[in-house]
Amino acid sequence: GEDVEQSLFLSVREGDSSVINCTYTDSSSTYLYWYKQEPGAGLQLLTYIFSNMDMKQDQRLTVLLNKKDKHLSLRIADTQTGDSAIYFCAETFHGGSQGNLIFGKGTKLSVKP
Amino acid sequence: GAVVSQHPSRVICKSGTSVKIECRSLDFQATTMFWYRQFPKQSLMLMATSNEGSKATYEQGVEKDKFLINHASLTLSTLTVTSAHPEDSSFYICSATPSGPSTDTQYFGPGTRLTVL
């Protein structure tokens, strides 16, 4: 079945760039998402990319998609302590349940001052 | 844009009782809403897909008689955990997809922490 893999932990210093990586198996993915979850809270949509795009930039966030390698990354420039959270990569695809999201296990980002 | 609320945010109940969780899309209509469950330090697991005016579609392994879902309007879906037991303690999160031709983007509620004693 479909699978989304992420590394579980990432630690960076404040002001550095963070790169969170994700790989997926479903080649028919249409949209790929990055969500942020702060402790005890729900998920916040950070950004998404359509599968026919290679890159999307939104302020400090840059999403890169390598469809050939099925690799998605999220780069956070000038990482701040407020960026400490768990980041989930997710994919969705047409066919079957509309908008059925498949999540990775999440990457816990720790930002040290 | 797109705000989803959940109520209550936190609930503690005794074993054997039923608990209802509401999910509302505040500024858009949602034909489809989703219910997820998140165990500690784990990812989200889709429980069911809720479509307005029709029966919910449950994922494999989710008991539909235990987790009752009602999507009464385009802005409200409810999840009722019937005869709750301690193993039902979890973080329940709903999401909603705006109606109409657009992306499959889901907007998530803040979650409901259920603790069953």
Side-chain angles (χ1 to χ4, degrees):
Chain A
E2 301 82 15
D3 196 17
V4 177
E5 297 284 342
Q6 297 178 243
S7 53
L8 295 181
F9 301 98
L10 177 64
S11 180
V12 301
R13 289 195 178 278
E14 192 174 19
D16 289 349
S17 292
S18 307
V19 179
I20 303 172
N21 294 300
C22 170
T23 57
Y24 59 97
T25 57
D26 184 14
S27 58
S28 63
S29 295
T30 53
Y31 292 95
L32 296 119
Y33 301 83
W34 284 104
Y35 287 91
K36 176 183 180 182
Q37 185 180 34
E38 296 180 354
L43 277 74
Q44 172 194 356
L45 176 65
L46 286 179
T47 186
Y48 65 91
I49 190 168
F50 189 50
S51 59
N52 68 354
M53 298 169 63
D54 298 323
M55 186 187 85
K56 181 178 180 181
Q57 186 161 2
D58 183 4
Q59 299 181 339
R60 292 192 298 124
L61 305 178
T62 303
V63 179
L64 294 178
L65 175 61
N66 182 329
K67 196 172 181 181
K68 174 176 172 289
D69 294 338
K70 298 178 188 171
H71 182 265
L72 181 74
S73 68
L74 174 69
R75 178 177 179 270
I76 305 173
D78 187 25
T79 312
Q80 303 297 308
T81 54
D83 295 324
S84 294
I86 300 177
Y87 291 81
F88 289 95
C89 163
E91 63 166 347
T92 189
F93 55 95
H94 286 293
S97 300
Q98 177 205 357
N100 190 354
L101 282 174
I102 309 295
F103 286 89
K105 287 186 167 55
T107 299
K108 184 173 183 179
L109 174 64
S110 298
V111 183
K112 299 178 181 178
Chain B
V3 177
V4 176
S5 70
Q6 278 185 243
H7 177 79
S9 58
R10 188 181 295 267
V11 58
I12 301 173
C13 70
K14 292 183 179 179
S15 186
T17 60
S18 294
V19 174
K20 180 186 283 189
I21 303 169
E22 292 185 350
C23 176
R24 292 183 186 271
S25 56
L26 298 185
D27 51 0
F28 65 97
Q29 293 185 330
T31 308
T32 304
M33 291 184 171
F34 302 88
W35 286 96
Y36 293 85
R37 182 174 180 176
Q38 186 180 31
F39 292 100
K41 299 182 181 180
Q42 292 193 30
S43 188
L44 287 82
M45 291 180 54
L46 179 65
M47 298 175 65
T49 302
S50 169
N51 292 296
E52 187 264 339
S54 64
K55 291 183 179 180
T57 303
Y58 290 82
E59 295 301 300
Q60 193 172 7
V62 178
E63 300 175 59
K64 61 180 181 180
D65 294 330
K66 180 167 187 61
F67 298 99
L68 300 179
I69 291 173
N70 183 16
H71 196 147
S73 74
L74 287 172
T75 59
L76 173 65
S77 176
T78 61
L79 168 68
T80 302
V81 183
T82 62
S83 187
H85 290 281
E87 57 266 29
D88 298 325
S89 299
S90 191
F91 195 52
Y92 292 87
I93 303 177
C94 75
S95 70
T97 301
S99 301
S102 66
T103 71
D104 290 332
T105 303
Q106 294 182 29
Y107 297 92
F108 285 80
T112 297
R113 173 76 60 191
L114 171 63
T115 303
V116 184
L117 302 176

